[in-house]
């Protein structure tokens, strides 16, 4: 996921409006990052879990749940798997983002793994520690480990993770296909290129209350610079190469941080496989001339949904944390002057920044079309 990047919205002259962090361990980095180059995935999970337990700044009383949600995980099918997929989360997010997808694919016979990008799972300040090589290397290492166990290797990524796995797939002939959810290829702003410079001048882009156990709410400039590196790398690769194997890409027309149309153009130009699919959540009156594109309306008044967000595609309505009746609601959604209703049954849901008179919009965090998305995945991967 991409946290709000305040410096992307206005020039350097107003950079001082980015808040200074309070004196809290959340905003002080750990002494070191967790290792990720273990000889087995099992050892990687064990070591990472121990590192999180030692270095995480816990937000709630249930420490075991916070450790579980931020630890890499594996789902194995009942029978030996011929195919496997490695999932990579987005900026500020966690391996848990793929929990619903992993359960579904494992039920379909896949060996599924979800890894932790270095700098995540512990405290926002730890995004000051990794280099871009760490992010590239953790994917290369675990793609290699998984490829040794299955006949067919797929990669999947959300947001920044989509950038990283696409860049890797364009270099690795072993990759048989891609599943990309809101890939961050084309940010919808003109200031991202400043991120590496700002990272030497200013430590924090955004400082917010940390109350979400699966996502950082605050962002160091170093983290923003790493996202910029992922954008530069994938854009450079897509300018000179095409991915000829199957790919599924999902995108919300109303994504608050990405250029949805640029992503759609890239799909049509750089991902030519006829088995590929692009799932567009938005205005269904738009005419698409590519039969590989599926358009689904994101305006669902009967469910109090106005638009789809950057993040909601991955989560089933039944998800106990982010689902339709989940325990965590993201009320901070870029609205001013509209009070949060006391009765959550009157909440509407949408992308960040969704505003409508007399309707308070919380963030949409689940996908009403989740089962349809699974069918699209099966179509792309040949499981249908």
């Amino acid at each position: 996921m991409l946290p709000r990047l305040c410096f992307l919205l206005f020039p350097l002259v107003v950079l001082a409006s980015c808040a200074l962090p309070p004196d809290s361990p959340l905003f002080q980095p750990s002494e070191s990052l967790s290792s990720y180059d273990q000889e087995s995935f099992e050892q990687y999970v064990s070591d990472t879990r121990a590192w999180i337990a030692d270095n995480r700044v816990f937000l709630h009383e249930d420490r075991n749940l916070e450790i579980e949600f931020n630890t890499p995980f594996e789902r194995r099918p009942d029978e030996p798997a011929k195919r496997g997929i490695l999932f990579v989360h987005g900026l500020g997010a966690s391996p848990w983002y793929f929990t619903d997808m992993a359960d579904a694919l494992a039920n379909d016979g896949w060996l599924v793994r979800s890894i932790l990008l270095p700098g995540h799972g512990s405290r926002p300040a730890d995004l000051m520690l990794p280099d871009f090589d760490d992010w590239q290397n953790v994917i290369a290492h675990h793609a290699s480990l998984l490829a040794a166990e299955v006949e067919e290797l797929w990669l999947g990524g959300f947001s920044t993770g989509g950038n990283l796995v696409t860049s890797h797939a364009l270099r690795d002939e072993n990759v048989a296909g891609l599943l990309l959810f809101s890939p961050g290829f084309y940010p919808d702003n003109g200031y991202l290129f400043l991120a590496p410079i700002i990272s030497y001048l200013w430590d924090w882009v955004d400082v917010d209350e940390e109350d979400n156990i699966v996502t950082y709410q605050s962002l160091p400039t170093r983290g923003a610079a790493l996202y910029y590196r992922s954008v530069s790398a994938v854009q450079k690769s897509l300018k000179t190469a095409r991915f000829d194997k199957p790919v599924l890409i999902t995108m919300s027309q109303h994504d608050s941080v990405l250029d949805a149309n640029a992503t759609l153009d890239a799909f049509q130009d750089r991902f030519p496989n006829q088995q590929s699919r692009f799932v567009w959540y938005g205005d269904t009156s738009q005419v698409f001339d590519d039969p590989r594109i599926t358009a689904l309306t994101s305006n669902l008044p009967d469910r109090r949904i106005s638009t789809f967000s950057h993040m909601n595609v991955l989560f089933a309505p039944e998800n106990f944390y982010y689902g339709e009746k989940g325990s965590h609601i993201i009320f901070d959604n870029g609205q001013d002057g509209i009070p949060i209703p006391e009765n959550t049954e009157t909440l509407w849901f949408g992308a960040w920044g969704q505003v409508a008179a007399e309707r308070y919009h919380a963030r949409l965090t689940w996908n009403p079309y989740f089962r349809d998305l699974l069918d699209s995945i099966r179509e792309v991967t040949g499981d249908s």
Side-chain angles (χ1 to χ4, degrees):
M1 168 179 196
L2 295 176
R4 296 192 308 278
L5 308 183
C6 67
F7 76 93
L8 301 183
L9 305 181
F10 41 75
L12 281 170
V13 292
V14 291
L15 181 62
S17 65
C18 292
L20 290 169
D23 184 16
S24 163
L26 285 164
F27 305 104
Q28 300 163 8
S30 302
E31 292 184 3
S32 64
L33 290 169
S34 176
S35 58
Y36 52 78
D37 58 353
Q38 290 83 352
E39 293 185 359
S40 71
F41 190 78
E42 181 181 15
Q43 189 62 50
Y44 164 66
V45 171
S46 177
D47 291 350
T48 306
R49 182 187 300 275
W51 181 86
I52 292 172
D54 289 341
N55 290 276
R56 182 170 175 82
V57 178
F58 292 95
L59 306 180
H60 301 293
E61 293 182 0
D62 193 343
R63 295 189 171 200
N64 288 332
L65 183 65
E66 293 190 34
I67 293 171
E68 184 70 22
F69 275 19
N70 288 278
T71 297
F73 68 84
E74 177 183 84
R75 300 282 190 272
R76 284 187 175 269
D78 293 334
E79 302 294 330
K82 293 184 178 180
R83 297 198 290 185
I85 185 164
L86 184 73
F87 281 127
V88 183
H89 62 78
L91 179 62
S94 64
W96 175 86
Y97 266 58
F98 292 101
T99 185
D100 295 336
M101 197 67 62
D103 289 343
L105 290 180
N107 286 337
D108 284 349
W110 292 69
L111 172 56
V112 184
R113 290 174 178 171
S114 184
I115 61 173
L116 180 74
L117 288 176
H120 293 79
S122 49
R123 61 187 80 185
D126 281 349
L127 279 173
M128 296 176 176
L129 300 178
D131 294 320
F132 190 59
D133 285 349
D134 289 313
W135 286 7
Q136 292 181 309
N137 291 342
V138 69
I139 293 169
H141 178 68
H142 286 284
S144 178
L145 285 183
L146 183 55
E149 292 198 37
V150 295
E151 298 176 12
E152 186 175 322
L153 171 69
W154 284 64
L155 300 180
F158 165 64
S159 193
T160 303
N163 295 355
L164 295 168
V165 299
T166 301
S167 293
H168 181 88
L170 289 167
R171 300 188 302 267
D172 186 352
E173 286 295 328
N174 284 327
V175 178
L178 291 168
L179 303 182
L180 306 175
F181 308 96
S182 306
F185 298 167
Y186 302 104
D188 189 17
N189 68 80
Y191 296 105
L192 184 61
F193 71 95
L194 297 173
I197 300 171
I198 297 173
S199 67
Y200 289 104
L201 304 173
W202 198 268
D203 285 339
W204 290 90
V205 172
D206 193 23
V207 174
D208 283 312
E209 179 184 358
E210 296 292 329
D211 63 352
N212 189 327
I213 66 173
V214 296
T215 305
Y216 295 156
Q217 300 302 297
S218 304
L219 179 67
T221 52
R222 175 79 172 180
L226 290 171
Y227 169 60
Y228 170 71
R229 289 287 303 276
S230 80
V231 170
S232 297
V234 74
Q235 288 186 2
K236 181 179 179 181
S237 296
L238 289 173
K239 282 182 180 179
T240 59
R242 301 198 308 175
F243 188 75
D244 294 325
K245 301 168 186 178
V247 61
L248 174 127
I249 298 179
T250 73
M251 183 61 60
S252 166
Q253 178 184 354
H254 302 97
D255 194 305
S256 61
V257 292
L258 300 176
D259 186 334
N261 286 304
T263 309
L264 178 60
D265 290 343
F267 170 76
Q268 295 181 287
D269 187 44
R270 312 313 294 173
F271 298 90
N273 191 289
Q274 290 305 300
Q275 195 172 320
S276 296
R277 296 292 181 269
F278 190 101
V279 182
W280 172 272
Y281 301 107
D283 180 4
T284 56
S285 67
Q286 184 171 345
V287 177
F288 298 104
D289 58 4
D290 188 336
R292 301 178 303 158
I293 301 170
T294 298
L296 298 170
T297 182
S298 61
N299 182 243
L300 302 170
D302 59 324
R303 302 183 77 165
R304 305 193 310 279
I305 295 173
S306 293
T307 54
F308 274 33
S309 70
H310 177 67
M311 62 173 289
N312 72 284
V313 65
L314 286 174
F315 303 102
E318 299 80 23
N319 186 285
F320 88 93
Y321 191 71
Y322 270 164
E324 194 164 9
K325 298 186 182 299
S327 62
H328 188 82
I329 299 174
I330 302 178
F331 290 102
D332 182 9
N333 208 35
Q335 296 161 102
D336 295 316
I338 304 176
I340 298 174
E342 295 182 4
N343 181 7
T344 58
E345 295 297 319
T346 66
L347 276 175
W348 280 67
F349 299 90
W352 190 89
Q354 179 69 39
V355 175
E358 299 180 358
R359 289 180 182 174
Y360 192 94
H361 281 80
R363 192 81 50 84
L364 181 62
T365 54
W366 72 91
N367 185 356
Y369 300 110
F370 186 76
R371 289 183 177 81
D372 300 275
L373 177 59
L374 295 178
D375 288 339
S376 294
I377 290 172
R378 294 177 184 119
E379 187 176 2
V380 170
T381 61
D383 277 343
S384 59

